[in-house]
Every structure is written in structure tokens, then in C-alpha cells.
Amino acid sequence: MKIAVIGTGNVGSGFATRLAASGHDVVTVGSSVAKGQDLADKIVAAGHSASAASLADAVAVSDVIALAVPYGVAADLVGKAALDAKIVIDLTNPVEEDFSGLSVGHTTSAAEEIAAAAPTARVVKAFNTIFAEIYTDGPELSGRAAPTFIASDDDEAKKVVSGLATDMGFDPVDAGGLTNARYIEPLAYLNIQFGYMLGHGTKVAPAWLSR
């Protein structure tokens, strides 16, 4: 499956590299052509399939588009792309610039706002509780695969993203409809608190345990 990864920061680079390592064809999109190409070259040098393209070209040739950019620019990006019927994975978290809290919540979510900006896209919330370091070091934590909570109103799109998560070594957890992103995003912010403010580091991930 060909997947466009928009964003070449720590999360975008880690996500794209692990996705390519799981056997998928990745198209990288950076804030500049050079940044996208640099990431693609690193993925290819590691022995995996990747190329770089503009936003428009990457969307045109890809089955799935992953948003690994700051939430503040995500809605603007999706407004510029031809996303009709495309599966869009929203990895964003609407964290304030000073990390004091979330800029969106309670009655909506980043995922819902992105869906509103791209009404013909099939938006799926996923991977937003995963730190970049986990993509790099591997998704196994404490003897189990780190979960990713997957929410969408499109069941088929949710199945596709769940399959990608499994391919990458994560444990996909069905989190219901897209409105449940209102709860998954605060969970990600709590994880950020544990990782950075409370000193647990970035090799942590929230899990839902059952017996």
C-alpha cells in the first residue's frame, strides 16, 4: 500500500520509517522539497521503499495520507489537498505552544476539526499517543505491543488503519466513532505530561488492560 506521510519532524520521520520497514511504500512530504527528499533518502538507505513528492502529487498517488504535522497547520494543509474518498490518519494533538493544555476539546477535537475541513475525506484518529522514540526503538514495551487507539466513523477506513498498525508492530484498539477523539487527545496530553513534565521519559505509552 502506498502511503503519504506529511511531516518530516521526529514523529513524521519515525512513523514513515517504521511504516516503510513494515513493507509499505512511503511518499514523504516535507515543508520543503529538500526536507521530504532527505527523509526519503534515509529510508531508502535503510533498505526500504520511499520517495518524495509535493503535497498534491503525494496525495494523488497514495491510498492513505498520514498527518504528522502540528495541529495548527493540519486544517490548512487538508484544505489545500484533493482528499475526496482518501483515508486520512490524524496523528495530531492540539497542544498549546507552551504545553499548558489543549487548544481544542470538550465539544470537539482536532480530528473532528480536520474532518470538517476535509468533509469528503475518511478521517481516522490514530497513533497520536505514540512518542517518536517508540517508532525508532520499536513498539514493544513491558513485553507487549504498545496500543494505538483508533477512532473513525468509517469502519472500512478503521480496518485499513488497524491493519497498518498491526504491520508496524502495534496493538490496534477500536476506540469507536470519531467523536471519541475528544477523549483520546487528552489521553495523549496526559502521556506528554508523564513523559516530559513528570520525568518518565518518552519510552512510555498508555495502555488499556483487560483480563
Side-chain angles (χ1 to χ4, degrees):
M1 183 176 290
K2 189 180 288 289
I3 301 155
V5 179
I6 302 173
T8 57
N10 291 338
V11 170
S13 296
F15 182 82
T17 302
R18 180 149 295 275
L19 193 58
S22 70
H24 294 283
D25 188 2
V26 171
V27 184
T28 59
V29 180
S31 57
S32 68
V33 173
K35 287 184 178 180
Q37 189 64 57
D38 183 56
L39 175 56
D41 289 345
K42 289 177 181 177
I43 294 172
V44 170
H48 312 305
S49 179
S51 59
S54 67
L55 175 64
D57 289 344
V59 168
V61 301
S62 298
D63 306 293
V64 178
I65 293 86
L67 295 176
V69 295
Y71 167 66
V73 302
D76 181 56
L77 281 174
V78 299
K80 295 177 179 177
L83 295 171
D84 188 32
K86 298 283 187 177
I87 296 173
V88 175
I89 308 175
D90 171 29
L91 287 75
T92 73
N93 286 304
V95 179
E96 296 281 10
E97 288 188 12
D98 62 359
F99 284 80
S100 61
L102 299 178
S103 61
V104 171
H106 299 297
T107 59
T108 188
S109 63
E112 290 170 275
E113 294 301 303
I114 288 168
T120 60
R122 304 159 70 189
V123 176
V124 180
K125 189 75 187 187
F127 299 105
N128 67 303
T129 59
I130 305 298
F131 279 124
E133 194 168 357
I134 292 176
Y135 295 120
T136 303
D137 294 346
E140 184 174 308
L141 300 171
S142 300
R144 61 165 291 180
T148 180
F149 304 96
I150 301 176
S152 179
D153 295 330
D154 187 313
D155 289 339
E156 185 58 37
K158 193 188 295 183
K159 287 180 183 177
V160 170
V161 177
S162 294
L164 294 177
T166 299
D167 291 346
M168 295 168 71
F170 292 96
D171 176 21
V173 178
D174 189 334
L178 197 64
T179 57
N180 283 345
R182 300 175 191 181
Y183 316 117
I184 302 171
E185 290 168 7
L187 178 62
Y189 182 67
L190 178 62
N191 196 45
I192 290 169
Q193 287 284 318
F194 278 127
Y196 291 109
M197 288 70 172
L198 298 174
H200 293 277
T202 54
K203 295 182 181 181
V204 297
W208 187 262
L209 304 178
S210 62
R211 175 173 291 141

PDB file of all heavy atoms in Angstrom, residues 11-12 45 54 60 65 68 73 89 110 112 115 140 164 171 183:
ATOM      1  N   VAL A  11       8.214  12.867  14.808  1.00  0.00           N
ATOM      2  CA  VAL A  11       7.102  11.920  14.685  1.00  0.00           C
ATOM      3  C   VAL A  11       6.934  11.472  13.236  1.00  0.00           C
ATOM      4  O   VAL A  11       6.822  10.275  12.951  1.00  0.00           O
ATOM      5  CB  VAL A  11       5.794  12.533  15.225  1.00  0.00           C
ATOM      6  CG1 VAL A  11       4.597  11.641  14.880  1.00  0.00           C
ATOM      7  CG2 VAL A  11       5.878  12.717  16.734  1.00  0.00           C
ATOM      8  N   GLY A  12       6.917  12.422  12.305  1.00  0.00           N
ATOM      9  CA  GLY A  12       6.756  12.065  10.903  1.00  0.00           C
ATOM     10  C   GLY A  12       7.865  11.161  10.406  1.00  0.00           C
ATOM     11  O   GLY A  12       7.607  10.172   9.710  1.00  0.00           O
ATOM     12  N   ALA A  45      18.065   4.370   2.122  1.00  0.00           N
ATOM     13  CA  ALA A  45      19.383   3.915   2.562  1.00  0.00           C
ATOM     14  C   ALA A  45      19.272   2.791   3.586  1.00  0.00           C
ATOM     15  O   ALA A  45      20.176   1.947   3.704  1.00  0.00           O
ATOM     16  CB  ALA A  45      20.166   5.089   3.155  1.00  0.00           C
ATOM     17  N   SER A  54       5.583  16.518  -3.835  1.00  0.00           N
ATOM     18  CA  SER A  54       4.814  17.649  -3.333  1.00  0.00           C
ATOM     19  C   SER A  54       3.553  17.119  -2.671  1.00  0.00           C
ATOM     20  O   SER A  54       3.165  15.960  -2.862  1.00  0.00           O
ATOM     21  CB  SER A  54       4.441  18.585  -4.479  1.00  0.00           C
ATOM     22  OG  SER A  54       3.520  17.934  -5.351  1.00  0.00           O
ATOM     23  N   ALA A  60      -2.207  12.452  -4.653  1.00  0.00           N
ATOM     24  CA  ALA A  60      -2.757  11.872  -5.879  1.00  0.00           C
ATOM     25  C   ALA A  60      -2.393  10.399  -6.046  1.00  0.00           C
ATOM     26  O   ALA A  60      -3.205   9.609  -6.547  1.00  0.00           O
ATOM     27  CB  ALA A  60      -2.300  12.669  -7.088  1.00  0.00           C
ATOM     28  N   ILE A  65      -3.263   8.903   3.591  1.00  0.00           N
ATOM     29  CA  ILE A  65      -2.472  10.096   3.905  1.00  0.00           C
ATOM     30  C   ILE A  65      -2.379  10.218   5.415  1.00  0.00           C
ATOM     31  O   ILE A  65      -3.403  10.203   6.105  1.00  0.00           O
ATOM     32  CB  ILE A  65      -3.097  11.375   3.297  1.00  0.00           C
ATOM     33  CG1 ILE A  65      -3.028  11.347   1.765  1.00  0.00           C
ATOM     34  CG2 ILE A  65      -2.377  12.623   3.793  1.00  0.00           C
ATOM     35  CD1 ILE A  65      -4.163  10.630   1.096  1.00  0.00           C
ATOM     36  N   ALA A  68       1.283  14.012  10.063  1.00  0.00           N
ATOM     37  CA  ALA A  68       2.244  14.017  11.175  1.00  0.00           C
ATOM     38  C   ALA A  68       2.848  15.410  11.279  1.00  0.00           C
ATOM     39  O   ALA A  68       4.062  15.596  11.231  1.00  0.00           O
ATOM     40  CB  ALA A  68       3.325  12.968  10.954  1.00  0.00           C
ATOM     41  N   VAL A  73      -1.306  23.574  11.744  1.00  0.00           N
ATOM     42  CA  VAL A  73      -1.202  23.688  10.285  1.00  0.00           C
ATOM     43  C   VAL A  73      -1.983  22.597   9.564  1.00  0.00           C
ATOM     44  O   VAL A  73      -2.105  22.633   8.343  1.00  0.00           O
ATOM     45  CB  VAL A  73       0.275  23.655   9.821  1.00  0.00           C
ATOM     46  CG1 VAL A  73       1.057  24.776  10.464  1.00  0.00           C
ATOM     47  CG2 VAL A  73       0.917  22.303  10.124  1.00  0.00           C
ATOM     48  N   ILE A  89      -5.158   9.663   8.130  1.00  0.00           N
ATOM     49  CA  ILE A  89      -4.834   9.333   9.521  1.00  0.00           C
ATOM     50  C   ILE A  89      -4.389  10.602  10.224  1.00  0.00           C
ATOM     51  O   ILE A  89      -3.416  11.244   9.810  1.00  0.00           O
ATOM     52  CB  ILE A  89      -3.718   8.286   9.618  1.00  0.00           C
ATOM     53  CG1 ILE A  89      -4.028   7.058   8.760  1.00  0.00           C
ATOM     54  CG2 ILE A  89      -3.519   7.865  11.076  1.00  0.00           C
ATOM     55  CD1 ILE A  89      -2.892   6.046   8.720  1.00  0.00           C
ATOM     56  N   ALA A 110      -9.377  17.754  17.607  1.00  0.00           N
ATOM     57  CA  ALA A 110      -8.561  18.036  16.429  1.00  0.00           C
ATOM     58  C   ALA A 110      -9.040  17.206  15.240  1.00  0.00           C
ATOM     59  O   ALA A 110      -9.164  17.709  14.121  1.00  0.00           O
ATOM     60  CB  ALA A 110      -7.094  17.735  16.728  1.00  0.00           C
ATOM     61  N   GLU A 112     -12.003  15.956  14.603  1.00  0.00           N
ATOM     62  CA  GLU A 112     -13.281  16.432  14.072  1.00  0.00           C
ATOM     63  C   GLU A 112     -13.121  17.733  13.300  1.00  0.00           C
ATOM     64  O   GLU A 112     -13.791  17.952  12.282  1.00  0.00           O
ATOM     65  CB  GLU A 112     -14.275  16.613  15.217  1.00  0.00           C
ATOM     66  CG  GLU A 112     -14.734  15.296  15.833  1.00  0.00           C
ATOM     67  CD  GLU A 112     -15.512  15.523  17.107  1.00  0.00           C
ATOM     68  OE1 GLU A 112     -14.859  15.660  18.178  1.00  0.00           O
ATOM     69  OE2 GLU A 112     -16.746  15.578  17.043  1.00  0.00           O
ATOM     70  N   ALA A 115     -11.698  16.790  10.012  1.00  0.00           N
ATOM     71  CA  ALA A 115     -12.760  16.199   9.191  1.00  0.00           C
ATOM     72  C   ALA A 115     -13.680  17.281   8.625  1.00  0.00           C
ATOM     73  O   ALA A 115     -14.138  17.185   7.479  1.00  0.00           O
ATOM     74  CB  ALA A 115     -13.557  15.192  10.013  1.00  0.00           C
ATOM     75  N   GLU A 140       7.455  -2.559  21.233  1.00  0.00           N
ATOM     76  CA  GLU A 140       7.258  -3.457  22.367  1.00  0.00           C
ATOM     77  C   GLU A 140       7.687  -2.773  23.661  1.00  0.00           C
ATOM     78  O   GLU A 140       8.815  -2.303  23.807  1.00  0.00           O
ATOM     79  CB  GLU A 140       8.059  -4.748  22.183  1.00  0.00           C
ATOM     80  CG  GLU A 140       7.796  -5.755  23.296  1.00  0.00           C
ATOM     81  CD  GLU A 140       8.469  -7.093  23.076  1.00  0.00           C
ATOM     82  OE1 GLU A 140       8.287  -7.669  21.987  1.00  0.00           O
ATOM     83  OE2 GLU A 140       9.177  -7.556  23.993  1.00  0.00           O
ATOM     84  N   LEU A 164      -2.536  -1.442   9.242  1.00  0.00           N
ATOM     85  CA  LEU A 164      -1.236  -0.764   9.215  1.00  0.00           C
ATOM     86  C   LEU A 164      -0.575  -0.811  10.592  1.00  0.00           C
ATOM     87  O   LEU A 164       0.629  -1.043  10.705  1.00  0.00           O
ATOM     88  CB  LEU A 164      -1.403   0.687   8.763  1.00  0.00           C
ATOM     89  CG  LEU A 164      -1.867   0.919   7.327  1.00  0.00           C
ATOM     90  CD1 LEU A 164      -2.046   2.410   7.068  1.00  0.00           C
ATOM     91  CD2 LEU A 164      -0.873   0.321   6.336  1.00  0.00           C
ATOM     92  N   ASP A 171      -0.501  -2.618  18.720  1.00  0.00           N
ATOM     93  CA  ASP A 171      -1.752  -3.297  19.044  1.00  0.00           C
ATOM     94  C   ASP A 171      -2.901  -2.328  18.771  1.00  0.00           C
ATOM     95  O   ASP A 171      -3.110  -1.385  19.534  1.00  0.00           O
ATOM     96  CB  ASP A 171      -1.750  -3.706  20.522  1.00  0.00           C
ATOM     97  CG  ASP A 171      -3.062  -4.326  20.960  1.00  0.00           C
ATOM     98  OD1 ASP A 171      -3.828  -4.806  20.094  1.00  0.00           O
ATOM     99  OD2 ASP A 171      -3.345  -4.327  22.180  1.00  0.00           O
ATOM    100  N   TYR A 183     -11.597  12.244  23.672  1.00  0.00           N
ATOM    101  CA  TYR A 183     -11.038  11.612  24.869  1.00  0.00           C
ATOM    102  C   TYR A 183      -9.629  11.063  24.608  1.00  0.00           C
ATOM    103  O   TYR A 183      -8.798  11.019  25.519  1.00  0.00           O
ATOM    104  CB  TYR A 183     -11.973  10.487  25.335  1.00  0.00           C
ATOM    105  CG  TYR A 183     -13.412  10.919  25.291  1.00  0.00           C
ATOM    106  CD1 TYR A 183     -14.328  10.283  24.456  1.00  0.00           C
ATOM    107  CD2 TYR A 183     -13.855  12.017  26.037  1.00  0.00           C
ATOM    108  CE1 TYR A 183     -15.641  10.719  24.380  1.00  0.00           C
ATOM    109  CE2 TYR A 183     -15.167  12.451  25.966  1.00  0.00           C
ATOM    110  CZ  TYR A 183     -16.058  11.798  25.130  1.00  0.00           C
ATOM    111  OH  TYR A 183     -17.355  12.236  25.047  1.00  0.00           O
TER     112      TYR A 183
END
